[in-house]
Amino acid sequence: MADRSLRALGLDGAPAELPLTYPGRPVGEPALLTGGELLPLRPEAGPPGEWPVVTGMGEAEPGLDAFLDRMSAARVRSRHPVLAVGSNASPAQLHHKLTRRGPGATVPMAPVEVHGIGVGCSAHIGRHGYVAAAPYADPAARRTLVAGWLDDAQLAVVDESEFNYRRVWVPGGDFPMTLPSGYRLGGAHLYVSLHGVLAGPGGGGPRAGGGDQRGLLSALLAASQALRELLGPGPEDWVARARADEAVRAEGRAVFRREGWVLPEGLSLGEGPGGHRTGDQPGDRAGDQPGDRPHQALPTPRS
């Protein structure tokens, strides 16, 4: 089998270590991230746990759940589907997060066609120096996001890494989600910014996010003298100064607000029990249809 390492596939380089590459390169086809490699998955009718894993070892292709069993890893149905609008769609970023904190990065990943969710820019500066993507409700949006199926320990690590976000449950009945095989997800988790999203140039709707980070930082610097004085003159300076000093990041967030660029949370957060980020409840596993649950939930997008 051809080399399936992230480096050989051109998918290495985590944005956490290379901020101006944010959001990194996403997976373009269903695959199993494991051991720093991406093994192709063959989408077939039925849930992802039944999809064959293309091992290239000259043997019958095992189903994904059977393959995970061999690795003593959680089956797909006992995992949590999580949609990514930013760097969590990058296998390099997920590998970086999950191997640094211990649980290991064996994660099924797949593109998903999602209706009703737009991708903007969170109105904060992250600890790695970049301005990360954030979702918002957009009834007209039809876009491809990436889903990763995380086990309990992996989800806890990603939750901890997303401390500027709140994890919410997105019901598939209101926000249709379709895998490449045509299989419909009953819902998925999504991280929504606690800081709102940045408005586009000249006001109006949200600024588009999840694209060229260098171009985004250059545009923000050009639009604000205060940002140029704090973080300029160029994107490299922005990243270096922001990574080095939490106070600089906080002041940058304050500048966003003073410039009038911050829109309220584009997706209603709601509150889980006790007013904290909601964890999983029974029935939240991969492929389940969401029923009545005390999750934070997104409102049905309005036309």
Side-chain angles (χ1 to χ4, degrees), residues 165-171 188-192 194 265 267-273 275-281 284 293-299:
Y165 293 77
R166 191 180 298 270
R167 177 162 53 86
V168 302
W169 178 256
V170 184
H189 297 277
L190 181 67
Y191 291 97
V192 178
L194 296 173
E265 294 156 350
L267 297 175
S268 176
L269 291 176
E271 290 294 346
H276 300 291
R277 177 191 286 125
T278 302
D280 294 295
Q281 303 294 330
D284 295 343
R293 66 186 76 228
H295 274 287
Q296 302 165 47
L298 306 187

Side-chain angles (χ1 to χ4, degrees), residues 243-258:
R243 294 186 84 178
D245 193 339
E246 181 179 355
V248 169
R249 298 194 295 272
E251 178 59 19
R253 186 171 72 245
V255 171
F256 291 163
R257 293 195 174 277
R258 290 199 295 269

Side-chain angles (χ1 to χ4, degrees), residues 109-203:
M109 304 178 72
V112 186
E113 181 183 295
V114 182
H115 293 194
I117 297 176
V119 179
C121 303
S122 181
H124 82 285
I125 301 171
R127 60 180 169 175
H128 300 300
Y130 47 68
V131 175
Y136 62 92
D138 179 0
R142 303 289 186 274
R143 62 173 60 242
T144 299
L145 303 178
V146 171
W149 283 263
L150 305 179
D151 66 25
D152 291 346
Q154 292 167 344
L155 186 66
V157 168
V158 175
D159 274 354
E160 187 176 346
S161 76
E162 301 290 354
F163 52 84
N164 283 294
Y165 293 77
R166 191 180 298 270
R167 177 162 53 86
V168 302
W169 178 256
V170 184
D174 295 333
F175 297 82
M177 308 171 195
T178 308
L179 294 172
S181 63
Y183 185 81
R184 293 280 294 270
L185 291 179
H189 297 277
L190 181 67
Y191 291 97
V192 178
S193 176
L194 296 173
H195 305 285
V197 295
L198 294 178

Side-chain angles (χ1 to χ4, degrees), residues 197-224:
V197 295
L198 294 178
R207 179 185 285 269
D212 172 27
Q213 183 70 192
R214 187 182 297 272
L216 171 61
L217 300 187
S218 295
L220 295 175
L221 287 167
S224 170

